[in-house]
């Protein structure tokens, strides 16, 4: 099944988009993860692209299958989104949210251009359950994982 929806490009709509995505993933073990991914990608669209300007918007596309696809499309106007990596295990001031997305998703990617807009997407394995220990740990799929 495929769902698409657009939202006004405001910070308040990021929360609405998160609830929309979590609702679509209800009944799967990854609804919280999908909501977190959606919130981060939508927030980036509003903060870093024309989507956050007056009359701006962002779009969400969700495909639910064993391997779910979640994508956020923005209006461009900024540089190409950078899918960063951790620098020596140090917490970075910018790009930290996308690191969380990379940990929660099976894979992520981006296509598009500053002129036409970007789509940042994540594939989510619905058979994989992440864990949150609430403290830094070394579990492979924990969102609080630390590198040795």
């Amino acid at each position: 099944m495929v769902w698409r929806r657009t939202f006004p490009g405001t910070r308040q709509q990021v929360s609405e988009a998160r609830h929309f995505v979590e609702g679509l993933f209800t009944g799967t073990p990854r609804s919280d993860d999908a909501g977190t991914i959606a919130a981060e990608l939508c927030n980036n669209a509003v903060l870093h692209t024309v989507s956050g300007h007056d009359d701006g918007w962002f779009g969400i596309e969700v495909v639910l299958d064993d391997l779910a696809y979640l994508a956020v499309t923005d209006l461009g106007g900024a540089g190409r989104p950078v899918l960063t990596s951790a620098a020596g295990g140090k917490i970075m001031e910018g790009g930290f949210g996308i690191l969380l997305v990379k940990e929660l998703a099976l894979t992520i990617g981006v296509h598009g251009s500053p002129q036409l807009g970007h789509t940042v997407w994540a594939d989510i394995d619905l058979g994989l359950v992440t864990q949150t220990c609430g403290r830094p740990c070394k579990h492979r799929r924990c969102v609080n994982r630390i590198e040795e």
Side-chain angles (χ1 to χ4, degrees):
M1 203 71 169
V2 178
W3 291 267
R4 291 184 186 100
R5 183 171 167 190
T6 58
F7 295 85
T10 66
R11 301 269 318 229
Q12 297 81 6
Q13 290 299 303
V14 171
S15 177
E16 292 298 318
R18 179 186 186 125
H19 293 307
F20 170 70
V21 168
E22 287 173 340
L24 295 176
F25 280 80
T26 297
T28 74
R30 304 295 304 277
S31 62
D32 288 341
D33 293 341
T36 299
I37 291 168
E40 176 58 28
L41 298 181
C42 293
N43 194 53
N44 286 348
V46 169
L47 290 178
H48 304 297
T49 76
V50 176
S51 292
H53 295 186
D54 290 342
D55 297 324
W57 59 269
F58 60 90
I60 292 182
E61 179 177 9
V62 173
V63 179
L64 280 179
D65 208 336
D66 292 337
L67 182 63
Y69 171 84
L70 191 162
V72 174
T73 300
D74 65 46
L75 296 176
R80 182 173 166 77
V82 178
L83 307 178
T84 60
S85 297
K90 297 178 183 174
I91 294 177
M92 300 177 301
E93 183 175 323
F96 185 68
I98 205 71
L99 292 176
L100 177 60
V101 170
K102 287 174 84 170
E103 182 63 28
L104 294 174
L106 184 62
T107 188
I108 65 173
V110 61
H111 61 268
S113 71
Q115 296 79 22
L116 301 175
H118 307 96
T119 298
V120 182
W121 55 268
D123 285 338
I124 304 168
D125 183 350
L126 294 184
L128 181 65
V129 179
T130 59
Q131 61 189 72
T132 303
C133 297
R135 59 180 169 68
C137 74
K138 297 180 182 177
H139 294 118
R140 162 78 177 100
R141 294 302 303 176
C142 183
V143 297
N144 295 315
R145 183 171 185 246
I146 57 171
E147 298 292 327
E148 292 185 17

